[in-house]
Amino acid sequence: MTKTILVTGGAGFLGSHLCDRLLGQGYAVIAMDNLITGSTDNIAHLIGRDDFRFIHHDVTEYIFLAEPLYGVVHFASPASPQDYLDYPIHTLKVGSLGTHNSLGLAKARGARFLLASTSEVYGDPLVHPQPESYWGNVNPVGPRGVYDEAKRFAEAMTMAYHRVHGVDTKIARIFNTFGPRMRLDDGRAIPNFMTQALSGQPITVFGDGSQTRSFCYVADLIDGIQRLLESDRHQPVNLGNPEEWTVTRMAETIRELIGDAPPIEYRDLPVDDPKVRQPDIRTAREHLRWAPGTAIDEGLRHTLDDFRRRFQAAPHTRTRA
Ligand code: NAD
Ligand code: UDP
């Protein structure tokens, strides 16, 4: 019998790559998405397969699904800071009500459950790099609080379903991930820099660009997610690439890759923008035998090929910055 996995947020950037991976491993997949920040373009190549189904549904509403499920993988949530600033209440609802509904479905079907959590649970961290044991430094009432607190609530709810109902839950704390299928106007740093360079807009670096992020290529991240899903680890696991870059270095690297790119323009740093971020991935190495293998430059080249192709088809696209 083919095992079926529900991927909420399955038409998004990460969710669609996860659908591809799970189908490739022989699972049947149901992608559920309300398309608030995702697109059916990301799963168009899967439509018509017997082992794939798309359901247009908002997971903050009750989820009706009759079939047996092997897994529920909850990726639905705006993830770009620009998106969750545009949809603050929705972000809180999908992290709370959406997580509750997804957990309830996993419990009813006896399915394993994986939550896509985030490095944002660490906020603007005072411990560096960040191990899973760090509780974080989050401003609950700042503009980013809607995302950070929704994910912190989602983690608490996930652990409660594990402890109270015995649901086989996993929590992935995902650090900045990039790759093909990110929206041209997604608003996160790498898509912004690529679309700006391709469209001749200035490259917008926020603050002085000395803040750091650790960027992971999507194929590596998805491999880590699958390993976590198959593992018996219930405590949170950091998944990300420990290679730490300043934002300016990333902007310069993308300018060089594209060639003849517009200059950098410095803008105000958004409120509560974390100053540093780097995953401590010892747990993933030890328990999942996982570490990212793709060089950042190589990942950027794959991403840029995809961005160039889509930009040619939509040459009037501009970033929101
Ligand atoms: P994305 O915006 O491309 O994908 C999110 C998807 O969820 C979209 O398709 C959106 O339409 C869908 N969605 C949102 N609310 C929904 C709802 N109520 N019902 C059904 N579908 C809904 O973002 P992404 O980068 O693919 O992120 C996916 C998940 O991974 C998110 O939960 C995010 O918090 C987490 N994450 C991503 C990163 C990253 O770097 N990409 C880092 C940390 C965590
Ligand atoms: N950033 C930037 N210019 C942009 C978009 C983002 O300098 O056009 C910065 C942002 O302020 C942050 C870093 O790049 O310091 C990563 O931002 P992103 O939105 O990708 O994700 P975050 O890690 O903040 O969730």
Side-chain angles (χ1 to χ4, degrees):
M1 265 280 286
T2 307
K3 295 172 177 165
T4 302
I5 299 183
L6 171 70
V7 180
T8 77
F13 160 50
L14 294 182
S16 65
H17 283 283
L18 186 60
C19 291
D20 288 343
R21 172 69 61 109
L22 295 172
L23 288 165
Q25 301 283 322
Y27 293 104
V29 172
I30 301 171
M32 184 172 280
D33 203 298
N34 69 350
L35 303 178
I36 189 172
T37 59
S39 166
T40 49
D41 290 352
N42 292 331
I43 48 168
H45 58 291
L46 302 177
I47 303 291
R49 286 178 63 140
D50 289 343
D51 51 2
F52 180 78
R53 188 147 67 97
F54 173 65
I55 301 176
H56 189 283
H57 182 68
D58 180 339
V59 298
T60 68
E61 305 287 342
Y62 189 86
I63 304 171
F64 296 95
L65 268 187
E67 53 260 84
L69 290 174
Y70 170 76
V72 175
V73 183
H74 182 38
F75 271 63
S77 170
S80 161
Q82 284 206 358
D83 288 338
Y84 57 75
L85 295 182
D86 283 351
Y87 304 111
I89 295 172
H90 181 87
T91 301
L92 284 159
K93 285 176 71 177
V94 74
S96 53
L97 306 178
T99 302
H100 190 208
N101 289 334
S102 305
L103 278 162
L105 179 67
K107 173 177 159 245
R109 294 286 173 281
R112 58 188 58 206
F113 176 88
L114 185 145
L115 172 70
S117 185
T118 167
S119 51
E120 278 285 318
V121 300
Y122 301 122
D124 189 5
L126 305 176
V127 170
H128 192 65
Q130 294 80 54
E132 291 88 349
S133 55
Y134 179 48
W135 291 350
N137 177 41
V138 169
N139 174 3
V141 294
R144 295 176 86 101
V146 296
Y147 183 66
D148 303 11
E149 297 296 5
K151 291 290 186 178
R152 288 165 69 98
F153 177 92
E155 287 198 4
M157 181 69 101
T158 300
M159 289 310 296
Y161 265 66
H162 173 63
R163 293 194 180 107
V164 176
H165 296 304
V167 178
D168 182 5
T169 60
K170 342 269 169 188
I171 297 174
R173 287 191 181 150
I174 303 169
F175 284 63
N176 297 59
T177 300
F178 70 98
R181 298 188 194 155
M182 293 184 97
R183 284 181 359 254
L184 298 176
D185 63 350
D186 172 283
R188 284 175 274 191
I190 291 178
N192 261 8
F193 298 159
M194 287 192 177
T195 300
Q196 288 163 345
L198 291 170
S199 64
Q201 289 175 271
I203 311 284
T204 55
V205 168
F206 301 157
D208 65 5
S210 65
Q211 70 273 30
T212 66
R213 294 294 185 272
S214 303
F215 297 98
C216 185
Y217 186 60
V218 62
D220 291 335
L221 189 276
I222 295 296
D223 181 43
I225 295 288
Q226 202 200 334
R227 283 170 189 257
L228 179 58
L229 184 66
E230 304 295 356
S231 81
D232 55 8
R233 183 92 191 156
H234 304 300
Q235 292 292 322
V237 178
N238 287 340
L239 293 175
N241 189 333
E243 200 178 311
E244 189 181 10
W245 285 39
T246 64
V247 170
T248 294
R249 179 179 174 201
M250 180 54 75
E252 290 292 7
T253 302
I254 291 173
R255 288 185 72 236
E256 280 163 27
L257 265 179
I258 291 184
D260 196 23
I264 289 178
E265 204 173 276
Y266 289 88
R267 302 273 176 88
D268 289 345
L269 191 67
V271 176
D272 295 334
D273 198 284
K275 286 180 267 310
V276 291
R277 192 182 278 161
Q278 183 187 32
D280 176 334
I281 61 164
R282 278 177 293 184
T283 306
R285 282 186 196 280
E286 186 183 331
H287 292 273
L288 310 182
R289 301 269 163 242
W290 177 86
T294 310
I296 308 296
D297 287 1
E298 188 191 336
L300 287 175
R301 276 194 296 275
H302 292 314
T303 310
L304 186 55
D305 287 347
D306 172 68
F307 268 62
R308 274 193 208 282
R309 189 178 49 75
R310 287 185 294 136
F311 184 76
Q312 275 165 10
H316 301 299
T317 308
R318 297 292 178 267
T319 65
R320 289 176 279 170

